[in-house]
């Protein structure tokens, strides 16, 4: 298939759904986690849930980069933005993420110079055009976006741009999946593997999921038929008593990943001993920091960063949503106190967040309606 509408063919989707249903054992219930927020978005946007038999439940994982940023890091970034002559640059999604002291939008309204950019190179351009200011890029994302941040640091170094730095919040996907597998709250049968991250890290790092936890993982693309085919591949494994890593998204994901992207990350960044994830707590070796050799571009060494830990609001259940323990609508404030306009938690902010996807597309889905009828 070459064109996007071919990946959205309803007849093919129905045929795949029938094949999936045929693979389900009677009286068995299957729980599959889609790790990536992009998959969550596709699932709700295209109603994939409704194609699947009732014995298969899709739960959402921690793969939305905005969703996992803890409140304390937002506060730290605001503290940097409030220092003299600073321009803080960030992606648009981050602007509304609530911290303990409000969001970037709130801080901007109070006078901080916080600007939206589309890429780290845009942030570098801001630095070039404002030589009398200190320009900081709030870097977020998994291994998918870390290479572009690292390349930008290398570009800044090669051009001798001294007023540019990054506030590094890049996280790594494997420790988060490990934390979920170790969580006693959750029993999973398999994983729809993250497509974007895998373009960089490849499929091999997921081996432990099959080997040590005996669960299948299929790296999946982002169109409706990609997701359905991935579910079919997982179900084939389960029906055959296999647990392997497979690559449905082979048109984009190389099995060995992208060695050049990995090399550039490794040149500029190294693993932190630990990092706090929103709702998941501290996970060791789960994030990146700037290496000593590029300290001149590390905002955490240039500025005073308070580094305070801020507890999530009591009503917020983002942690349970990010671990797939509850569905977004099971959070007490979903769609009432917490909406995309007035987010309490991060999962309602980014379009990749499970709560935002569910709010925008899935509010009237099968399980929600059933639950409403029951209560
Ligand atoms: S509804 Fe809001 S507070 Fe509840 S889990 Fe979702 S984002 Fe978090």
């Amino acid at each position: 298939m070459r064109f996007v509408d071919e990946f959205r063919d309803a007849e093919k989707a129905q045929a795949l759904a029938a094949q999936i249903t045929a693979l389900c054992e009677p009286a068995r219930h299957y729980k599959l986690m889609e790790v990536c927020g992009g998959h969550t978005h596709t699932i709700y946007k295209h109603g994939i849930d409704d194609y699947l038999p009732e014995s298969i439940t899709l739960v959402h994982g921690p793969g939305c980069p905005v969703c996992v940023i803890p409140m304390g890091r937002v506060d730290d970034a605001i503290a940097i933005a409030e220092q003299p002559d600073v321009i803080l640059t960030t992606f648009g999604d981050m602007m509304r993420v609530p911290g303990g002291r409000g969001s970037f939008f709130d801080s901007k309204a109070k006078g901080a110079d916080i600007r939206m950019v589309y890429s780290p190179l845009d942030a570098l351009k801001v630095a070039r055009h404002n030589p009398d200011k200190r320009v900081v890029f709030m870097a977020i994302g998994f291994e998918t976006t870390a290479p572009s941040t690292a390349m930008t640091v290398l570009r800044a170094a090669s051009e001798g741009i001294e007023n540019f730095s990054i506030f590094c919040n890049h996280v790594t996907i494997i420790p988060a999946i490990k934390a979920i597998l170790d969580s006693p709250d959750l029993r999973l049968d398999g994983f729809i593997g993250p497509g974007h991250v895998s373009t960089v890290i490849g499929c091999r790092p997921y081996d432990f999921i099959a080997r040590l936890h005996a669960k299948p993982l299929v790296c999946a693309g982002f169109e409706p038929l990609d997701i359905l085919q991935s579910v079919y591949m997982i179900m084939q494994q389960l029906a055959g008593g296999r647990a392997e890593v497979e690559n449905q998204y082979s048109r984009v994901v190389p099995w060995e990943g992208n060695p050049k992207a990995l090399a550039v990350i490794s040149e500029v960044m190294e693993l932190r001993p630990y990092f706090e994830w929103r709702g998941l707590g501290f996970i060791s070796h789960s994030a990146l920091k700037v290496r000593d050799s590029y300290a001149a571009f590390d905002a955490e060494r240039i500025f005073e960063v308070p580094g305070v830990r801020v507890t999530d609001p009591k009503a917020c259940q983002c942690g349970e949503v990010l671990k797939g323990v509850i569905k977004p609508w099971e959070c007490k404030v979903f769609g009432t106190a917490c909406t995309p306009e007035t987010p309490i938690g991060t999962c309602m902010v980014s379009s990749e967040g499970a709560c935002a996807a569910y709010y925008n597309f899935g509010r009237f889905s099968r399980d929600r309606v059933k639950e409403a009828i029951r209560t």
Side-chain angles (χ1 to χ4, degrees), residues 113-152:
D113 193 346
I114 302 181
R115 304 184 190 181
M116 275 185 272
V117 290
Y118 289 101
S119 73
L121 279 178
D122 283 351
L124 192 61
K125 201 187 286 175
V126 174
R128 258 189 230 110
H129 292 166
N130 295 275
D132 51 337
K133 300 278 187 184
R134 302 182 289 173
V135 176
V136 181
F137 174 62
M138 168 115 185
I140 65 154
F142 287 88
E143 289 94 333
T144 327
T145 48
S148 61
T149 304
M151 284 298 295
T152 305

Side-chain angles (χ1 to χ4, degrees), residues 6 13 16 27 65 85 93 106 119 165 174 194 199 215 222 225-226 253 256 282 295 306 312 320 336 346 364 366 368:
E6 294 170 313
L16 265 171
D85 300 323
D93 271 5
D106 297 328
S119 73
S165 61
I174 296 297
T199 60
K215 301 196 190 303
F222 292 87
L225 289 189
D226 287 325
V253 172
E256 299 293 344
F282 286 90
D312 288 336
E320 283 108 308
T336 52
T346 43
F364 307 110
R366 188 178 63 197
R368 187 87 209 270

Side-chain angles (χ1 to χ4, degrees), residues 28-317:
R28 180 169 173 189
H29 189 264
Y30 303 86
K31 211 179 233 188
L32 311 181
M33 173 176 276
E34 87 273 2
V35 175
C36 179
H39 289 145
T40 307
H41 184 86
T42 300
I43 287 162
Y44 287 127
K45 184 173 179 197
H46 296 277
I48 304 292
D49 250 7
D50 294 330
Y51 273 87
L52 296 176
E54 293 203 7
S55 54
I56 298 181
T57 302
L58 299 180
V59 296
H60 326 299
C64 156
V66 169
C67 304
V68 299
I69 295 289
M71 294 177 92
R73 295 296 281 187
V74 177
D75 286 4
D76 286 346
I78 288 174
I80 292 173
E82 287 171 345
Q83 292 179 42
D85 300 323
V86 169
I87 301 174
L88 181 76
T89 56
T90 185
F91 295 133
D93 271 5
M94 277 304 301
M95 294 298 286
R96 286 182 305 123
V97 173
R101 299 170 48 210
S103 67
F104 288 171
F105 267 135
D106 297 328
S107 179
K108 188 175 169 68
K110 287 181 200 149
D113 193 346
I114 302 181
R115 304 184 190 181
M116 275 185 272
V117 290
Y118 289 101
S119 73
L121 279 178
D122 283 351
L124 192 61
K125 201 187 286 175
V126 174
R128 258 189 230 110
H129 292 166
N130 295 275
D132 51 337
K133 300 278 187 184
R134 302 182 289 173
V135 176
V136 181
F137 174 62
M138 168 115 185
I140 65 154
F142 287 88
E143 289 94 333
T144 327
T145 48
S148 61
T149 304
M151 284 298 295
T152 305
V153 169
L154 292 179
R155 174 77 71 90
S158 73
E159 290 184 22
I161 300 177
E162 291 175 358
N163 63 329
F164 175 78
S165 61
I166 63 167
F167 180 47
C168 190
N169 294 276
H170 283 296
V171 285
T172 56
I173 194 68
I174 296 297
I177 296 180
K178 276 190 182 144
I180 282 169
L181 280 165
D182 291 340
S183 162
D185 303 342
L186 195 59
R187 185 195 64 79
L188 289 171
D189 294 285
F191 290 91
I192 299 172
H196 292 142
V197 169
S198 307
T199 60
V200 175
I201 66 172
C203 299
R204 209 174 284 285
Y206 307 115
D207 267 354
F208 76 98
I209 298 173
R211 214 168 9 89
L212 303 179
H213 297 272
K215 301 196 190 303
L217 179 142
V218 175
C219 287
F222 292 87
E223 289 301 324
L225 289 189
D226 287 325
I227 306 261
L228 283 168
Q229 191 185 11
S230 303
V231 172
Y232 174 65
M233 290 165 75
I234 293 171
M235 293 303 293
Q236 271 189 317
Q237 289 199 39
L238 292 172
R242 291 183 292 125
E244 293 167 16
V245 178
E246 292 183 313
N247 187 9
Q248 183 276 337
Y249 203 24
S250 56
R251 66 184 187 278
V252 174
V253 172
W255 188 264
E256 299 293 344
N258 181 335
K260 284 188 182 161
L262 290 169
V264 82
I265 296 175
S266 159
E267 164 69 22
V268 176
M269 299 168 193
E270 61 186 343
L271 284 174
R272 289 176 191 268
Y274 54 84
F275 191 73
E276 186 186 2
W277 291 55
R278 193 150 185 152
L280 302 181
F282 286 90
I283 305 178
S284 53
H285 299 115
S286 65
L288 299 165
K289 63 177 181 151
V290 178
R291 282 188 187 277
D292 288 348
S293 39
Y294 293 93
F297 301 96
D298 184 1
E300 284 178 82
R301 304 187 211 206
I302 297 170
F303 298 93
E304 268 191 33
V305 180
V308 286
R309 199 175 168 212
V310 182
T311 318
D312 288 336
K314 257 200 181 126
C316 176
Q317 289 185 271

